[in-house]
Amino acid sequence: GENVEQHPSTLSVQEGDSAVIKCTYSDSASNYFPWYKQELGKRPQLIIDIRSNVGEKKDQRIAVTLNKTAKHFSLHITETQPEDSAVYFCAASYPAYGNKLVFGAGTILRVKS
Amino acid sequence: DTAVSQTPKYLVTQMGNDKSIKCEQNLGHDTMYWYKQDSKKFLKIMFSYNNKELIINETVPNRFSPKSPDKAHLNLHINSLELGDSAVYFCASSQGFLGAYGYTFGSGTRLTVV
């Protein structure tokens, strides 16, 4: 079956520190891994994604890494700022299930100033 | 212009009522989805349509019936509402189907059943 586990469920960091959120997926056929940020009362918004033919992708302070062998992928946020505070969701596509995205349970990130 | 728009934004209704949520996207995407976000923030897929055709139907009670009159619209009708239906419902769309692409979400409909 399809499953995405996400850790930690909550994460508090000091402004300027780095934050790392990790996810694992169950299907080796998964080939697309997006990350979404959801601010309170708002919609989830795509912040970065990675495909299975790439091991790492970076966009300014945000980077994502993918280990296909271990079925792990991670979000790295450097130099965190208070506006990074939100709920972050990882997701993985499942080709055998209509290519739907299955989401992790989310990580509440708090950046303390 | 809003890319994926849902109406209404808030919906408060009594148990047993029937209600509908509408969704429209102007991105030219082929695939649309309904997700439910519960009080613990967990996002769970309910339905997916590709070019008006149902492709994913999770184990959702048959009180929930999606309808897609064309590929730009995906509506959700809920019969005999129950307390446990209270949640935020998100519509989303994506560019393709055979290859996975990122979703664009609507702003959500907060449904409260009293």
Side-chain angles (χ1 to χ4, degrees), chain B residues 32-90:
Chain B
M32 295 185 72
Y33 311 84
W34 278 110
Y35 274 79
K36 179 180 180 181
Q37 187 170 46
D38 60 25
S39 58
K40 294 183 180 177
K41 301 294 185 187
F42 190 64
L43 276 162
K44 179 92 165 72
I45 191 168
M46 300 172 69
F47 302 102
S48 171
Y49 272 74
N50 178 255
N51 274 321
K52 303 192 295 176
E53 205 173 314
L54 180 67
I55 53 173
I56 295 172
N57 184 349
E58 292 290 290
T59 50
V60 177
N62 57 16
R63 298 182 294 105
F64 291 79
S65 52
K67 280 191 174 48
S68 182
D70 55 62
K71 74 172 193 176
H73 295 83
L74 179 61
N75 304 322
L76 183 65
H77 188 76
I78 315 169
N79 288 328
S80 304
L81 278 154
E82 300 177 357
L83 292 176
D85 297 332
S86 296
V88 180
Y89 291 84
F90 284 100

Side-chain angles (χ1 to χ4, degrees), chain A residues 2 31-32 36 38 42-44 46 51 89 93 97-101 103-105, chain B residues 4 35 37 41-43 45 56 58 90 97-103 105-107:
Chain A
E2 67 277 20
N31 55 17
Y32 177 66
Y36 286 83
Q38 187 178 26
K42 301 275 182 70
R43 74 189 77 193
L46 180 69
R51 296 192 183 274
F89 293 95
S93 67
Y97 297 90
N99 241 346
K100 66 180 178 183
L101 284 182
F103 285 80
Chain B
V4 181
Y35 274 79
Q37 187 170 46
K41 301 294 185 187
F42 190 64
L43 276 162
I45 191 168
I56 295 172
E58 292 290 290
F90 284 100
F97 164 55
L98 293 178
Y101 297 88
Y103 294 178
F105 282 90
S107 55

Side-chain angles (χ1 to χ4, degrees), chain A residues 9-68:
Chain A
S9 55
T10 60
L11 179 58
S12 287
V13 299
Q14 204 64 35
E15 183 177 358
D17 287 351
S18 294
V20 180
I21 303 170
K22 298 182 179 182
C23 290
T24 60
Y25 58 99
S26 56
D27 188 349
S28 56
S30 293
N31 55 17
Y32 177 66
F33 309 92
W35 285 87
Y36 286 83
K37 175 184 179 183
Q38 187 178 26
E39 296 174 355
L40 189 64
K42 301 275 182 70
R43 74 189 77 193
Q45 292 202 293
L46 180 69
I47 55 171
I48 195 167
D49 56 13
I50 193 167
R51 296 192 183 274
S52 57
N53 58 347
V54 175
E56 186 173 354
K57 185 175 177 181
K58 193 172 180 181
D59 182 3
Q60 299 182 348
R61 297 186 297 109
I62 295 173
V64 57
T65 58
L66 172 65
N67 182 331
K68 282 179 59 181

Side-chain angles (χ1 to χ4, degrees), chain B residues 99-112:
Chain B
Y101 297 88
Y103 294 178
T104 300
F105 282 90
S107 55
T109 296
R110 183 174 293 277
L111 171 65
T112 304

